[in-house]
């Protein structure tokens, strides 16, 4: 196991499918490399197909969702839970893949099935393992597509799912609204006006992340 005098900063990229997690990971990787920092991509999605940056660590080398669904006759959600249980029962593989990183940054691209963060303990068990056994410093970001702002019910549901992930994981956590450049002018105007009325309070609100054009 890793000794406590060495540390690695590990960031989980959470959020529903299509929120922009993989794009955000790629942007973080490009930014870190431009600053000369050591950042590595860890793919934790056994159903992922392609990446802008090749993952340094890839759960698909251990197990893939397609194989699990075919061999175990499981659906997508049941298959994902099985994949994570299998990962957590194969710590030798995980320890080998994590290698001897020292003062590095690991960005973990997570699956888009939010039940893994909000309903089931698999991700929280993974976080606990990273903290206690490997002595990694772990934080998380929760991404939510900005088009949710146009629909109060969707936005409320999205905020609740982010809150549920924050409570279940119990780690440093940042919520981010993505794709703000795709938001309608009306929604942007309403959001700015509401922000002005609330002043600088902004407690519990989500951050903003605009996608590069």
């Amino acid at each position: 196991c890793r000794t406590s005098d060495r540390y690695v900063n590990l960031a989980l990229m959470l959020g529903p499918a299509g929120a922009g997690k993989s794009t955000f990971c790629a942007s973080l990787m490009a930014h870190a490399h431009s600053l000369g920092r050591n950042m590595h991509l860890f793919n934790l999605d056994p159903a992922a197909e392609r990446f802008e940056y090749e993952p340094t660590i890839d759960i698909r080398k251990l197990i893939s969702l397609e194989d699990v669904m075919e061999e175990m006759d499981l659906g997508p959600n049941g298959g994902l839970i099985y994949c994570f249980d299998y990962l957590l029962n194969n710590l030798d593989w995980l320890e080998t893949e994590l290698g001897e990183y020292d003062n590095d940054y690991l960005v973990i691209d997570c699956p888009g099935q939010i039940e893994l963060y909000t309903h089931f303990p698999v991700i929280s068990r993974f976080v606990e393992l990273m903290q206690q056994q490997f002595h990694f410093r772990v934080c998380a970001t929760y991404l939510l597509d900005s088009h949710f702002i146009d629909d109060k019910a969707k936005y409320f549901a999205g905020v609740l799912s982010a809150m549920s992930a924050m409570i279940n994981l119990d780690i440093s956590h940042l919520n981010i609204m993505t794709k703000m450049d795709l938001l309608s002018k009306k929604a942007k105007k309403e959001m700015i006006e509401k922000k002005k009325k609330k002043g600088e309070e902004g407690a519990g609100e989500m951050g903003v992340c605009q996608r590069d054009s």
Side-chain angles (χ1 to χ4, degrees):
C1 296
R2 188 176 307 276
T3 56
S4 58
D5 60 330
R6 308 177 69 180
Y7 67 86
V8 174
N9 298 288
L10 188 151
L12 294 166
M13 301 299 149
L14 312 174
K21 295 185 296 298
S22 295
T23 301
F24 188 45
C25 286
S27 297
L28 281 177
M29 294 284 291
H31 180 65
H33 291 167
S34 70
L35 297 176
R37 294 182 177 177
N38 296 323
M39 180 172 284
H40 312 275
L41 181 62
F42 183 169
N43 172 42
L44 201 58
D45 185 355
E49 296 181 353
R50 61 182 182 275
F51 297 91
E52 186 171 336
Y53 284 86
E54 188 66 24
T56 304
I57 305 173
D58 195 340
I59 190 176
R60 295 174 301 177
K61 294 180 180 179
L62 175 68
I63 190 169
S64 72
L65 179 61
E66 183 179 359
D67 290 341
V68 169
M69 291 175 62
E70 181 178 345
E71 295 179 14
M72 306 297 294
D73 195 25
L74 295 171
N77 290 342
L80 279 169
I81 295 172
Y82 181 91
C83 287
F84 278 99
D85 283 337
Y86 190 82
L87 171 66
L88 295 173
N89 288 325
N90 286 270
L91 298 184
D92 290 342
W93 178 88
L94 184 59
E95 186 170 1
T96 300
E97 290 294 312
L98 288 171
E100 293 298 327
Y101 296 117
D102 188 11
N103 298 340
D104 290 357
Y105 296 84
L106 286 179
V107 176
I108 300 186
D109 195 353
C110 296
Q113 282 72 17
I114 61 174
E115 309 91 77
L116 298 174
Y117 335 127
T118 60
H119 292 72
F120 299 104
V122 288
I123 297 294
S124 59
R125 285 170 56 199
F126 176 79
V127 168
E128 185 176 327
L129 176 70
M130 293 296 101
Q131 291 176 317
Q132 296 183 5
Q133 183 163 333
F134 294 101
H135 304 288
F136 286 1
R137 301 193 300 188
V138 185
C139 67
T141 62
Y142 193 97
L143 276 59
L144 191 65
D145 199 317
S146 61
H147 80 268
F148 277 39
I149 294 177
D150 284 331
D151 188 316
K152 292 181 180 179
K154 283 185 178 180
Y155 180 71
F156 191 63
V159 171
L160 286 178
S161 66
M163 178 65 72
S164 179
M166 291 174 68
I167 294 172
N168 286 333
L169 298 182
D170 194 25
I171 55 178
S172 298
H173 192 113
L174 178 65
N175 296 314
I176 301 175
M177 300 291 303
T178 61
K179 308 177 186 177
M180 291 300 294
D181 53 321
L182 302 181
L183 196 62
S184 67
K185 292 182 178 180
K186 179 182 178 182
K188 286 182 180 179
K189 184 178 179 180
E190 290 177 351
M191 185 176 66
I192 293 173
E193 290 177 350
K194 289 179 180 178
K195 187 68 177 179
K196 287 181 178 178
K197 290 180 181 179
K198 292 182 179 179
E200 297 299 326
E201 295 179 4
E205 292 187 356
M206 287 194 160
V208 172
C209 180
Q210 180 164 314
R211 188 177 65 179
D212 293 336
S213 57

